[in-house]
Amino acid sequence: MLLSASLPAGQGWQRPNQSGTGSPRAPGAWWAQGIRRELGLGGGSGGASGVLQDGSQRWDGLSRAGQHIQQHQDDAMELPWALLALAGMGAAADLAVQNRGSPRSLPTPPARLPYVPRVPPVALLGKVTASTFALEGPRCVFDGHADASDAVWLAVAFANASAAFRNPLSRADVPPYKQLPTARSYMTLETAAAAYSCSAPSPPVLRVGGDTACRDQGRQDPCNGPLPSPGPYRVKFLLMGCRGPKAETRWSEPILLRRAVSPSTIDPAPARRGSAVLVIASILASLGAVLATAVLGALGAKVWGSLCHQNLGADAFIRRSYRTHHIPPALPQPLPPGDIFR
Amino acid sequence: MTPCSSYCRRLHEELRMAKTDDCVHILQGLLVFGNVVIGMCGIALTAECIYFVSNPHDLYPLLKATENSDIYAAAWIGIFVGLALFALSILGIIGVIKASRTLLLVYIILMLITFAFEMASCITAATHQDSLTPELFLKQMLERYQKSEPANNSDNEITKTWDELMLQNHCCGVLGPSDWQNYTSVFRRTHSDADYPWPRMCCVLDAQGFPVSLDGCKLGVPGYYNSNGCYDAISGPVSTHAWGVAWFGFAILCWTFCVLLGTMFYWSRIEY
C-alpha cells in the first residue's frame, strides 16, 4: 500500500538517536525490517502516537495528518518516495522500538482546523480589486498548534485547482508565485505564527497581491505578486513547522476579483432634456415672434398708410416738444378801442 | 366765431390735451423707468458674464475638452449684450423724453437685434448646462487623465486640472474612487492596479504631499483616502453660472419685451 507520508525532516530523525543507545545497523537490514513491519501493520497509522512517551502533541498531530493523507491516496507519491518514507519510518520506529519498545511512528498529517479564511467584512473599498484582495488574518486560529519557530503560509489556488493542491513537505518545496500559471497554485505571505496569536493587538488584514516587484523582477522565491486574472481563487492557511505542515485551515469560499469594463460603454448623453430648457426656449421664441410681428405690423401699417395718403396725424395726441401746456392759454387781448369801429 | 367761442374751443382742447397729457406722462414715466431697469440689468449681466469667463474655479480646461464649451460662448455673448442693453436704454430714455420718432425707431430695431442675440445666448446656456452629465466627465477623465503620450496640450491641462481639483476638494474620481476600479483607463495602462487602485491624489496627503498611510489608502481604509466624487465640485460652479446666464437673461428678455411693446405703442402715437 502506498503511503504519501510527510517526511519528518531534521529534528525528528534525531530524537531516537538522542535518547537511544542502540548501535547503527546496516541500512539494508533496516530497509527489510521496515518494509516487513509496514506491510505487517497494513498501513495503520495509529501506532505512531505511542512511540514517544513525552506526550508531545506534535506526534498526535502527525498521526492525524497521516490519517488525513491516507484519504488522498489518489494523488499519492511515487513508489520510491513511499519506500524511502517507509524506510525512514522503519528506521525511526526500529530505533524507537529498540529504545521504548512501542510500535513505529508515522508522519502525521497536518491538523485540519475548522477556520475558513474570508475577505474582511468591514467596509474597505479596496478589499477586492482587479489583481489583489484582502483577507482577515487567522487570529487565535493556530494557538495550541504553533511553536515560536513556526510560520504560517497562505496557499492560493484557482478555485477549480484547490482540490488538487498538495501541501509541501518542507519550506524548500513551497511553490512560489512564479509557478502560478503552470501549477495553478502557489504559497505566499510567510509570517511568524506569533503574529497571529491571541495576544496580538488586533486582527491583521492581509493583502494578497501587493508586491509588484515580485512580478516585475521575476523573482523565484516565494513572494506576494499581483494576481494575473480575475478567475475565482480559494485560499487556506498552512502552519509549517520544521518537519512540514502541522496544521491547515479549510479552503475559503471562491473569491472573484473585479473586472473592469471599457469606458467606451459610457454614454455621455443626458437621459432626457431638462424641462427648464423647454420652458426658456418656448417662451423666448414666442416673445420674439410677438415682437417681430408687432414691429412688422406697425411698419407695414405706416408704409401702407403713407402709400394711401391718409391723414396719419388725425389721432395723434402726442405732440412735439414745443408743447406749451405749461403756459396757460393766452386770453384774447382786448382790442384797442379804435379797431372795433374800423 | 365769437372770441368767446374760439376761446372756449381752445380751452376745451387744452383740457383734453391735459387729460391725454397725463396719460402721456404716465406712459413716458413707465418707459423711462423700464429703460432704467434695462440699463441696470445690462450692467449686471455684463458683470456676471465677465466673472464666469474669468474662470474662477479653473474648470475651463475640462469644459473645453468636452467640446461643449458653448457655455463660454453664451457668456461672451452675454457680455456684449449687457453693454448693448445699457447703451440702448440710454438711447431709449432720450427718445422717449424728446418724443423723437427717428430715435425711437432706431432704438426699437437695435433692441430687437439685441433681443435675438440674448435669446440665442440663453437657450445655448440652458441646453449645454443640461448636457454636463457625470457620464460626460467620467468618460473624459478615464480617457485622458494621465495619458502617457499626450496628443496635445489639452491632455496635460486635463491632468493638471484633475489633480488640482482632487487636491483642493478632497475628492476622487467623478462618482468616487470606484470609477478607477469599474472601468479601464489610460491611467491603468501605466499604473498597475496593485500599486495604484486609484491615483495617489485620492489619498489623504500630509503637509509635504505624501500619503499619510499608503497601505491604508490602497486598501481603502476610511480616513486615509477621499471617498467622495468630484462631480459636485465641477457641476456646482458651472451650473450656477450657466443658470445665471440662462435665467437672468430670460428675466431681462421678458422685461425688455414689455418695454419694447410700450415703446412701439408710444412711437406709433407720436405725430409727425
Side-chain angles (χ1 to χ4, degrees):
Chain A
M1 182 174 294
L2 287 174
L3 277 179
S4 57
S6 46
L7 199 66
Q11 207 175 359
W13 286 81
Q14 295 160 9
R15 271 186 164 267
N17 289 331
Q18 284 169 3
S19 57
T21 55
S23 55
R25 295 188 186 176
W30 285 359
W31 176 277
Q33 280 193 359
I35 293 285
R36 258 184 271 124
R37 194 161 286 123
E38 278 307 311
L39 290 177
L41 284 172
S45 59
S49 54
V51 169
L52 291 176
Q53 300 297 326
D54 59 357
S56 165
Q57 287 181 340
R58 285 170 290 166
W59 286 102
D60 287 336
L62 281 176
S63 74
R64 284 197 290 278
Q67 287 168 355
H68 169 72
I69 288 166
Q70 276 187 338
Q71 295 164 10
H72 296 272
Q73 291 180 14
D74 50 336
D75 194 17
M77 295 159 58
E78 303 295 333
L79 178 58
W81 272 108
L83 291 181
L84 258 179
L86 289 177
M89 287 300 104
D94 224 4
L95 287 170
V97 163
Q98 273 193 329
N99 296 327
R100 310 284 178 106
S102 45
R104 63 118 187 113
S105 65
L106 264 184
T108 48
R112 194 177 166 79
L113 304 169
Y115 174 76
V116 176
R118 60 177 185 169
V119 175
V122 292
L124 296 174
L125 194 62
K127 59 183 173 184
V128 175
T129 70
S131 59
T132 68
F133 61 94
L135 280 178
E136 240 180 11
R139 192 156 171 251
C140 287
V141 171
F142 293 106
D143 280 4
H145 299 270
D147 284 344
S149 61
D150 296 337
V152 177
W153 288 81
L154 180 74
V156 181
F158 283 97
N160 50 12
S162 64
F165 181 79
R166 290 291 161 260
N167 294 330
L169 300 178
S170 67
R171 200 193 176 284
D173 298 329
V174 163
Y177 168 76
K178 225 169 154 32
Q179 282 184 18
L180 177 60
T182 52
R184 314 269 293 159
S185 61
Y186 70 107
M187 286 172 63
T188 181
L189 282 180
E190 179 186 12
T191 324
Y196 299 133
S197 69
C198 281
S199 51
S202 66
V205 171
L206 311 174
R207 192 160 184 254
V208 179
D211 185 10
T212 45
C214 179
R215 175 193 59 193
D216 296 337
Q217 295 164 9
R219 284 164 53 176
Q220 302 285 340
D221 54 330
C223 57
N224 187 19
L227 299 164
S229 79
Y233 295 93
R234 298 179 84 178
V235 298
K236 74 172 180 182
F237 288 98
L238 200 56
L239 176 71
M240 294 278 285
C242 310
R243 272 168 278 210
K246 297 160 79 172
E248 61 177 3
T249 64
R250 292 162 60 155
W251 283 103
S252 68
E253 294 299 317
I255 299 171
L256 187 63
L257 300 185
R258 287 215 205 193
R259 253 180 270 244
V261 296
S262 164
S264 56
T265 57
I266 303 174
D267 180 22
R272 51 175 192 83
R273 281 285 166 209
S275 56
V277 177
L278 294 175
V279 163
I280 288 181
S282 55
I283 292 182
L284 287 183
S286 51
L287 291 184
V290 165
L291 277 180
T293 48
V295 166
L296 289 176
L299 280 178
K302 295 297 177 196
V303 167
W304 183 63
S306 65
L307 283 178
C308 295
H309 301 291
Q310 280 182 5
N311 184 11
L312 295 169
D315 55 351
F317 60 89
I318 301 165
R319 299 194 179 274
R320 295 273 178 169
S321 54
Y322 53 79
R323 265 171 299 140
T324 57
H325 64 273
H326 283 299
I327 304 172
L331 289 171
Q333 297 295 323
L335 292 172
D339 286 345
I340 296 177
F341 301 108
R342 194 146 357 165
Chain B
M1 186 187 296
T2 63
C4 184
S5 62
S6 67
Y7 171 67
C8 286
R9 191 165 40 95
R10 251 196 304 192
L11 190 59
H12 185 251
E13 258 190 30
E14 285 294 339
L15 280 175
R16 188 173 72 93
M17 273 169 52
K19 244 197 302 199
T20 54
D21 279 345
D22 284 341
C23 300
V24 165
H25 279 308
I26 293 172
L27 185 59
Q28 278 183 326
L30 284 177
L31 289 178
V32 167
F33 171 70
N35 279 301
V36 164
V37 170
I38 288 178
M40 293 196 299
C41 288
I43 296 288
L45 184 68
T46 302
E48 180 194 14
C49 292
I50 287 179
Y51 178 64
F52 184 37
V53 165
S54 72
N55 195 21
H57 295 276
D58 301 318
L59 294 171
Y60 179 63
L62 291 185
L63 290 176
K64 190 168 74 138
T66 66
E67 280 114 39
N68 248 347
S69 58
D70 289 346
I71 287 188
Y72 281 91
W76 277 106
I77 293 177
I79 292 177
F80 293 112
V81 161
L83 292 174
L85 283 176
F86 177 68
L88 285 177
S89 70
I90 295 178
L91 178 70
I93 291 173
I94 296 174
V96 162
I97 290 180
K98 289 179 70 170
S100 151
R101 279 183 88 95
T102 332
L103 277 183
L104 284 181
L105 189 62
V106 168
Y107 168 81
I108 287 172
I109 291 179
L110 289 181
M111 262 302 205
L112 279 181
I113 296 174
T114 310
F115 191 95
F117 271 102
E118 180 60 19
M119 200 162 82
S121 163
C122 280
I123 294 178
T124 306
T127 310
H128 287 280
Q129 194 278 334
D130 221 26
S131 74
L132 293 179
T133 54
E135 287 79 28
L136 182 71
F137 290 110
L138 181 63
K139 190 164 178 152
Q140 179 199 80
M141 179 185 80
L142 292 170
E143 288 176 351
R144 300 174 78 163
Y145 176 73
Q146 297 256 10
K147 202 163 176 181
S148 49
E149 62 284 331
N152 45 20
N153 203 29
S154 74
D155 291 337
N156 288 334
E157 291 285 322
I158 288 180
T159 303
K160 267 199 302 199
T161 307
W162 269 107
D163 284 339
E164 272 296 313
L165 198 61
M166 293 200 280
L167 189 64
Q168 300 290 340
N169 296 294
H170 304 291
C171 59
C172 183
V174 173
L175 303 168
S178 347
D179 292 341
W180 302 102
Q181 288 291 314
N182 292 334
Y183 297 97
T184 59
S185 53
V186 293
F187 172 77
R188 182 63 62 224
R189 281 192 223 145
T190 45
H191 299 78
S192 70
D193 171 78
D195 268 339
Y196 296 90
W198 31 76
R200 285 284 181 267
M201 281 299 178
C202 294
C203 302
V204 173
L205 303 176
D206 59 11
Q208 280 81 34
F210 297 109
V212 171
S213 162
L214 192 56
D215 289 327
C217 179
K218 286 188 204 174
L219 261 180
V221 180
Y224 293 102
Y225 74 107
N226 301 320
S227 52
N228 305 324
C230 295
Y231 179 66
D232 290 332
I234 298 173
S235 76
V238 173
S239 284
T240 315
H241 291 312
W243 282 141
V245 171
W247 283 107
F248 188 47
F250 177 73
I252 292 177
L253 286 183
C254 289
W255 181 264
T256 309
F257 173 77
C258 301
V259 170
L260 273 179
L261 277 185
T263 311
M264 280 194 272
F265 176 70
Y266 183 81
W267 177 82
S268 67
R269 290 287 177 262
I270 296 178
E271 64 173 21
Y272 276 109

